[in-house]
Amino acid sequence: LVISRIDGDDIACVGGGVATAAKARGAAAIIVDGPCTDVEEIIASGLPVWCRGVSAKTTNRTFRIGGSINVPVACGSTAVLPGFAVLADNSGVFVADRSLMRSLGEAALKRQERSARLRAHLAAGHSIFTYDEGHSQ
């Protein structure tokens, strides 16, 4: 579930209740372009949530501001279209057309492998300027 906030970016629209309900309805994760609340409850729900921070200010069901499902949104200054694949980890969130995500993921894994070899080279006390991918020491 990718949520784009168009206003009130200091108000949390995701908390323990929303996380619990989203998980019960089959959500794999929530990404919100704004803060969340009830961090402990979200963690306890087991549903991963990515947000811009935490706020004690929350939404109120009394004020119905609307919303839409399966429409293009902008989240974190990135266009997210219905059907896009989302890849998220502790370093951030990445979205792409589903048809591209596999090749992008494979390229990212190769880059991580190269980075691990480089880190071993650096951990051995060698300079980054002496690193040769094909002939690392």
Side-chain angles (χ1 to χ4, degrees):
L1 175 61
V2 178
I3 301 171
S4 175
R5 296 299 310 261
I6 57 171
D7 65 350
D9 60 1
D10 62 330
I11 300 171
C13 68
V14 174
V18 170
T20 299
K23 184 175 181 181
R25 306 260 335 239
I30 297 175
I31 298 162
V32 59
D33 193 6
C36 71
T37 193
D38 306 330
V39 174
E40 293 82 11
E41 290 179 36
I42 291 172
I43 292 168
S45 79
L47 184 72
V49 173
W50 283 263
C51 62
R52 291 193 176 272
V54 178
S55 176
K57 292 171 137 182
T58 62
T59 56
N60 184 324
R61 289 182 301 228
T62 303
F63 302 102
R64 299 195 182 272
I65 59 171
S68 299
I69 297 175
N70 288 328
V71 297
V73 297
C75 188
S77 301
T78 299
V80 182
L81 298 152
F84 265 25
V86 179
L87 177 64
D89 66 12
N90 290 338
S91 296
V93 179
F94 180 76
V95 297
D97 185 86
R98 189 176 293 180
S99 64
L100 296 174
M101 189 59 88
R102 179 174 297 282
S103 62
L104 293 170
E106 289 169 355
L109 289 172
K110 287 179 184 175
R111 184 174 179 175
Q112 283 181 331
E113 290 167 2
R114 284 193 307 272
S115 180
R117 288 191 298 272
L118 172 59
R119 290 199 195 289
H121 175 82
L122 297 173
H126 303 293
S127 168
I128 195 168
F129 299 108
T130 63
Y131 183 73
D132 179 0
E133 176 69 28
H135 302 89
S136 62
Q137 299 173 353

